[in-house]
Amino acid sequence: MTLNKWRRATEWFMTALALMFLFAYSWEVLARTHILLCEMVINIIWMAFIVDYVVSILLAKDKKTWFKHNLLMLVSIALPVFRPLRLLRLVAVLNVLNRTGGMAVRGRITLYTCCSVTLLVYIGALAELDVERGVPGASITDFGEAIWWSFVTVTTVGYGDLSPVTWQGRCIAIGLMITGVALIGIVTATLASWIVDRVRDETDKRADEAESETEQLRHNVRELTDTVNQLRDDIAQLRRL
């Protein structure tokens, strides 16, 4: 068993668990009923994530490099306060979409980015509401406010009308802002790439047209040269007569 084989074998299963985690966490935060059942589901899935982490690091050929590249995963399973980070497992869904056949690279990047932003805003709102609700002086007390705050934070607008008061909420805000800057960079790079491609296509088109016109001009010159030569021969024959 190699790490790649393990990933391929467990990818859909771990993705399903991440979706179940998202549903249980959302139900616990929004509906606020069946808390014990939700916590039990979350804890069982948490244990599955721990098993997957341990197996993955054992199967990794370069364990030191794998460890450095998966620090967020370690934090999410080691510190209960960062349990929303366990939803990073949903990146597996995005990776599956990213490998969709028949889609251009720019299309996959666009799909990946849109899904990432949507997921990030939703998870950020859930996590923020979870840590802020019920805290004295908190301004984020319902899901509508949490969604609005998450959206303006991830887009780095930050109107300031809503702000976290707990240290956990501020950590979530920092994570959203950093990720938002990264996603904006991806969007900007994709747009710039699209513009460059359009300019290059237009330039190539005009170059092809110019080449075609040049070739036509050469053809006309050759025909004119042949005609002149024929006239010269005819004149020479007339002079001999």
Side-chain angles (χ1 to χ4, degrees):
M1 176 66 72
T2 63
L3 180 58
N4 287 334
K5 289 182 179 179
W6 171 259
R7 285 300 185 200
R8 286 195 297 269
T10 61
E11 184 175 54
W12 282 108
F13 178 70
M14 299 307 298
T15 300
L17 288 183
L19 290 171
M20 290 176 61
F21 184 97
L22 177 61
F23 179 79
Y25 185 54
S26 300
W27 187 278
E28 181 181 3
V29 174
L30 300 179
R32 306 185 73 181
T33 60
H34 304 86
I35 303 297
L36 293 179
L37 177 60
C38 290
E39 284 294 329
M40 182 178 66
V41 171
I42 288 173
N43 290 331
I44 291 173
I45 296 174
W46 179 31
M47 294 302 298
F49 288 167
I50 293 175
V51 171
D52 179 64
Y53 180 88
V54 173
V55 172
S56 296
I57 196 171
L58 290 176
L59 293 176
K61 291 182 179 180
D62 189 346
K63 294 179 173 54
K64 185 176 181 180
T65 301
W66 190 93
F67 176 80
K68 289 180 179 179
H69 291 169
N70 293 274
L71 289 176
L72 277 178
M73 189 184 301
L74 176 62
V75 171
S76 70
I77 63 177
L79 302 177
V81 71
F82 291 112
R83 67 179 184 175
L85 290 180
R86 298 171 200 167
L87 291 169
L88 290 174
R89 290 289 183 173
L90 287 171
V91 171
V93 177
L94 304 182
N95 287 334
V96 171
L97 293 174
N98 194 40
R99 293 196 299 270
T100 302
M103 186 179 294
V105 173
R106 190 180 294 110
R108 292 200 301 270
I109 293 175
T110 302
L111 178 61
Y112 192 93
T113 304
C114 291
C115 293
S116 298
V117 170
T118 302
L119 188 61
L120 184 64
V121 169
Y122 180 72
I123 293 174
L126 278 180
E128 192 69 17
L129 182 61
D130 189 25
V131 299
E132 290 285 312
R133 184 169 49 194
V135 176
S139 58
I140 304 173
T141 56
D142 60 58
F143 187 62
E145 292 175 343
I147 282 287
W148 169 252
W149 173 86
S150 181
F151 185 81
V152 298
T153 302
V154 80
T155 55
T156 68
V157 175
Y159 287 112
D161 54 340
L162 300 172
S163 59
V165 296
T166 63
W167 69 269
Q168 300 99 320
R170 289 169 181 169
C171 287
I172 294 170
I174 292 173
L176 284 176
M177 285 184 281
I178 293 175
T179 311
V181 169
L183 290 173
I184 289 173
I186 293 174
V187 172
T188 303
T190 303
L191 179 60
S193 172
W194 179 81
I195 293 174
V196 169
D197 285 348
R198 296 286 75 75
V199 172
R200 184 171 59 244
D201 291 344
E202 185 65 24
T203 302
D204 292 342
K205 181 180 177 181
R206 292 184 179 181
D208 291 340
E209 291 176 351
E211 181 65 25
S212 177
E213 291 176 358
T214 303
E215 185 61 32
Q216 182 64 37
L217 181 60
R218 288 173 181 171
H219 178 70
N220 293 338
V221 169
R222 284 195 296 268
E223 288 185 344
L224 182 58
T225 301
D226 293 339
T227 302
V228 170
N229 291 335
Q230 182 64 41
L231 289 174
R232 184 179 300 163
D233 293 340
D234 293 342
I235 292 173
Q237 289 178 3
L238 290 173
R239 284 179 178 177
R240 285 196 293 269
L241 294 175

